[in-house]
Amino acid sequence: MLTSLKHCCAPIPQRWIFAFMSFLALVMAYGMRVSISITITEMVKHIEKNVTIDEETCPKDESSAPKNTTGTGAGTYDWDEETQGIILSSFYWGYVITQLPGALLAEKFGGKQTLGLGMLCTAILTIAIPFAVTWGESTALIVLRVLMGLGEGVTLPALNVMLAQWVPPDERSKTGSFVYVGAPLGTVFATAISGVILKYTSWPIVFYFFGGIGIVWYFIWLVTCYNTPREHPFISDKEATFLHQELSAVAHVNPPPVPWRHLLKSMPLWALISVQIGHDWGFYTISTELPKYMSSVLHYSVDQNGYLSSLPYIGMWLCCTFMSWLADWLISKGHMAITTVRKVGTTIASVGPGLFVIAASYVGCDRTLVVVMFTLGVTLLGSGIPSLKVNALDLSPNYAGTVMAISNGAAACTGIITPYLTGVLTPDQTLSQWRVVFWIIFVVLMVSNVFYLIFASGKVADWNDPILMKRNKAEQKRAQEAAAFEASRKATEVY
């Protein structure tokens, strides 16, 4: 059977199949993660609050009210803004914890099962959400979201380990960006589909749908993807030889233990952590809170909310795709160094979104203009993906999973902070309260990017190969001792 599969599948580069399945992994992961952001607007009771300042609230557009739909917006649960913030952030409590263990497991045993089993657990827990909420309301939902985070926390580290084994350096920006753009497209998928489901059915169906397709993805993944080209049973000999030649110099089969001391002293790594914190602060705040802003402040109906909340992420996907191809072209043609390309990408992804998000907060209740501003801002966030997500592979192909776990784990803490902080800062859902949230996004984006501009690098770090690093240091020491001896000998001859 394997022989027939190899003959059948040989014309298709298996690294493309891996990239496509990895892309779908992030679509599924973010679909399961983000679907609650819009679903929660239909789960909770909508309480009208008396706000004395008319300029602080937007009038309702009665023409956008849902007609003849199941999703009425009446809600069932009395969860205040702070409780909703805790529910939205609880996923990241578990997500942060399994980043580094996931990376170490993937580096030791391979990313296939590390990623696959994590996704399977998350899918099963997603299906269990309606039962948990019926049984234990917000407390049960928070616990389940923490467990979902534990399962999904291994996703990006395991993917990075496999990318280091499957993607040649000159395809890194393009392939890495194609994979990682699954995150914004998963958000598009989640918000748009959730809006449709909520309009015509009930909120439990949202979780059954996303959990179900996650399980289907897992079984396809088992058949089609493998840890390395060497393990793949039906990869062509030509592609296997090509990948070995391209990757053997920088990606080892069994690299030495992680050089923690050198890694944690690396300023380029800290620069990557900084810019990823800034990027994810903006992304997580908008992806989790934009549906609530569209519903509570701009008063969009549930189906409009789903479509319009997903629109910015379509722009993000298009921007990421264009910037990844541009980055690979600039690097392969020698027009820009890798470091310069990475810095340009993150700067566009910081300055542009920061300015547009602030502008959105000052146009008031002009609903069309607000949507345009958010769409442009989130679109430009996409230019950072070919830089900050791929930079971990630049710095260390051997320890790509560990580097991703450290940077993504630190950045994921923003997913804990931002929903809760937004809930605390916007108890009355007024324009001025939300403006504070958007100014915080702007400041975090600017400060983190400045640090990245100063210290970032696109070169392979010395600590990527600890054995070679020790050998080079020993040679440098011998050269210095020889030079000192020669200088001492010449000085003795003079006297």
Side-chain angles (χ1 to χ4, degrees):
M1 182 176 177
L2 290 179
T3 304
S4 60
L5 281 173
K6 187 169 183 176
H7 178 73
C8 171
C9 301
I12 306 173
Q14 293 305 306
R15 65 186 186 278
W16 295 359
I17 301 296
F18 160 72
F20 180 68
M21 288 301 299
S22 299
F23 160 78
L24 288 181
L26 289 186
V27 172
M28 299 298 101
Y30 275 75
M32 292 184 285
R33 179 192 311 190
V34 176
S35 56
I36 195 169
S37 297
I38 187 169
T39 308
I40 200 171
T41 65
E42 293 297 295
M43 295 169 68
V44 300
K45 293 180 179 179
H46 292 192
I47 302 173
E48 297 293 337
K49 296 186 178 182
N50 295 321
V51 181
T52 57
I53 307 175
D54 292 338
E55 291 79 4
E56 290 294 289
T57 59
C58 295
K60 290 187 177 181
D61 182 1
E62 297 300 329
S63 65
S64 68
K67 298 180 178 64
N68 300 322
T69 63
T70 304
T72 62
T76 304
Y77 304 101
D78 291 310
W79 300 337
D80 60 21
E81 295 297 329
E82 187 172 339
T83 301
Q84 292 178 54
I86 293 173
I87 290 170
L88 293 173
S89 68
S90 58
F91 174 92
Y92 297 95
W93 304 351
Y95 186 72
V96 170
I97 293 172
T98 51
Q99 292 283 316
L100 191 55
L104 297 176
L105 284 171
E107 286 171 353
K108 186 173 181 61
F109 301 107
K112 176 178 178 175
Q113 289 295 355
T114 304
L115 169 62
L117 291 175
M119 287 283 290
L120 178 63
C121 291
T122 306
I124 293 171
L125 292 168
T126 300
I127 293 174
I129 285 178
F131 305 102
V133 173
T134 301
W135 173 68
E137 294 203 4
S138 61
T139 302
L141 179 55
I142 289 168
V143 171
L144 210 60
R145 292 275 294 171
V146 172
L147 295 175
M148 287 173 62
L150 289 171
E152 203 171 298
V154 304
T155 303
L156 289 181
L159 271 183
N160 238 35
V161 169
M162 296 182 73
L163 283 168
Q165 296 290 338
W166 277 96
V167 182
D170 61 352
E171 297 178 7
R172 193 168 289 160
S173 295
K174 182 166 65 264
T175 305
S177 298
F178 171 76
V179 171
Y180 288 118
V181 83
L185 284 187
T187 306
V188 171
F189 186 54
T191 51
I193 297 299
S194 296
V196 174
I197 293 174
L198 290 169
K199 181 179 181 180
Y200 293 106
T201 61
S202 58
W203 65 263
I205 305 300
V206 174
F207 301 112
Y208 299 150
F209 174 78
F210 285 102
I213 60 176
I215 292 174
V216 172
W217 172 90
Y218 170 72
F219 288 107
I220 298 174
W221 170 262
L222 285 183
V223 176
T224 58
C225 296
Y226 295 83
N227 291 318
T228 67
R230 291 173 296 277
E231 295 181 16
H232 205 296
F234 40 91
I235 189 173
S236 69
D237 295 334
K238 180 181 178 181
E239 185 181 13
T241 302
F242 167 73
L243 291 175
H244 176 74
Q245 292 172 345
E246 291 290 318
L247 295 167
S248 58
V250 292
H252 297 173
V253 178
N254 295 303
V258 178
W260 289 107
R261 182 168 62 88
H262 297 286
L263 188 145
L264 295 176
K265 288 166 59 178
S266 172
M267 291 309 296
L269 174 58
W270 285 107
L272 176 59
I273 293 171
S274 169
V275 77
Q276 188 146 336
I277 287 173
H279 185 275
D280 285 7
W281 187 288
F283 180 77
Y284 286 146
T285 303
I286 295 172
S287 64
T288 57
E289 303 297 336
L290 184 57
K292 187 186 294 184
Y293 186 81
M294 303 284 273
S295 173
S296 301
V297 178
L298 300 180
H299 305 299
Y300 277 108
S301 63
V302 63
D303 54 321
Q304 290 176 319
N305 193 350
Y307 294 134
L308 295 175
S309 294
S310 66
L311 186 61
Y313 303 101
I314 297 175
M316 188 178 184
W317 163 58
L318 294 172
C319 181
C320 176
T321 302
F322 170 75
M323 290 298 293
S324 66
W325 282 89
L326 179 61
D328 274 346
W329 181 78
L330 290 171
I331 293 169
S332 63
K333 297 297 183 181
H335 296 307
M336 278 190 187
I338 295 177
T339 301
T340 306
V341 170
R342 304 300 184 229
K343 290 181 178 180
V344 170
T346 60
T347 301
I348 295 173
S350 298
V351 177
L355 293 176
F356 279 115
V357 166
I358 288 297
S361 71
Y362 282 97
V363 298
C365 299
D366 188 330
R367 303 200 311 169
T368 301
L369 196 53
V370 169
V371 171
V372 170
M373 292 296 179
F374 273 120
T375 300
L376 292 174
V378 176
T379 292
L380 293 178
L381 271 177
S383 70
I385 293 178
S387 296
L388 60 93
K389 294 297 186 185
V390 179
N391 198 198
L393 292 169
D394 295 330
L395 294 176
S396 181
N398 279 331
Y399 306 106
T402 299
V403 173
M404 174 58 79
I406 294 172
S407 60
N408 193 62
C413 292
T414 64
I416 300 173
I417 298 169
T418 56
Y420 179 76
L421 181 63
T422 302
V424 172
L425 293 175
T426 60
D428 302 311
Q429 297 292 303
T430 63
L431 292 170
S432 61
Q433 290 173 350
W434 276 95
R435 192 171 294 132
V436 174
V437 174
F438 298 143
W439 269 108
I440 292 173
I441 293 175
F442 176 82
V443 171
V444 173
L445 283 170
M446 296 303 109
V447 172
S448 62
N449 190 65
V450 168
F451 190 83
Y452 186 79
L453 291 176
I454 296 171
F455 295 108
S457 174
K459 298 179 180 178
V460 177
D462 292 340
W463 43 265
N464 178 65
D465 194 333
I467 297 174
L468 181 60
M469 182 174 62
K470 290 179 181 179
R471 187 183 305 135
N472 290 340
K473 285 187 175 181
E475 291 176 356
Q476 291 175 0
K477 184 177 180 180
R478 286 194 295 270
Q480 290 171 355
E481 290 174 348
F485 175 79
E486 183 65 19
S488 175
R489 186 182 63 80
K490 289 183 179 179
T492 303
E493 290 178 353
V494 171
Y495 290 106

